[in-house]
Amino acid sequence: MEFDGFMSNLFFGGVGVLVLELVLFFGGPLLIIWMVYRYYKNKTNKYAQIIQAAIEKNPDMDIEDFIKKISPKQKSLKEKLLRKLLWGSALIVLGICFFVYAFWLDWTGGSNPDDLHLIYFVGIILFGIGIVFLLNYFISKKMLAKEIEAEEKKLTAEANL
């Protein structure tokens, strides 16, 4: 199929590409944000429906106790700290991989210098963010040691009951 004429050259030459770029670069992230918002809104609405149905069936029940039972379990300080350790380690390894890949491309030669600079830059940024996560983990671990210990004692006391 062949298109001739001014409009086809204009569309496929510039405007079509511009429209496609706008849809991909703005539409994609907006779609993701909308889907996440919709997920959390539906989750909240489901909780509200469950609580409303429970109140309608038994109006004398203890609502606060019921809400505690159906609400998701909160993560402990230790779990939050371990997640920071995980992310920090993963980002450091990813940054090192990018850096090694860029070094290998640089060593073999024949690569575009702009691409090499970008890969080095991404590697350094990922490595730096990973270091920040690890620093945050170690500093938080030191600062929150008493709170973590108290939380563990509370959990063991609840488990023994």
Side-chain angles (χ1 to χ4, degrees), residues 89-125:
S89 303
L91 287 173
I92 285 176
V93 169
L94 196 59
I96 289 172
C97 289
F98 266 90
F99 196 73
V100 167
Y101 176 66
F103 185 73
W104 178 75
L105 284 178
D106 203 7
W107 184 64
T108 58
S111 297
N112 185 1
D114 291 338
D115 292 342
L116 283 175
H117 291 133
L118 180 65
I119 296 171
Y120 276 123
F121 181 72
V122 169
I124 290 170
I125 293 297

Side-chain angles (χ1 to χ4, degrees), residues 54-82:
I55 291 172
E56 288 174 359
K57 287 183 179 181
N58 187 4
D60 298 331
M61 70 182 290
D62 185 18
I63 298 170
E64 291 179 16
D65 187 43
F66 180 70
I67 290 174
K68 285 180 185 176
K69 287 180 183 177
I70 67 167
S71 65
K73 183 185 170 204
Q74 296 292 327
K75 292 185 172 92
S76 67
L77 287 173
K78 197 171 192 178
E79 288 173 329
K80 291 176 185 178
L81 284 176
L82 288 174

Side-chain angles (χ1 to χ4, degrees), residues 1-12:
M1 182 178 218
E2 193 172 309
F3 295 103
D4 291 330
F6 173 74
M7 288 305 288
S8 65
N9 288 337
L10 178 66
F11 183 76
F12 291 113

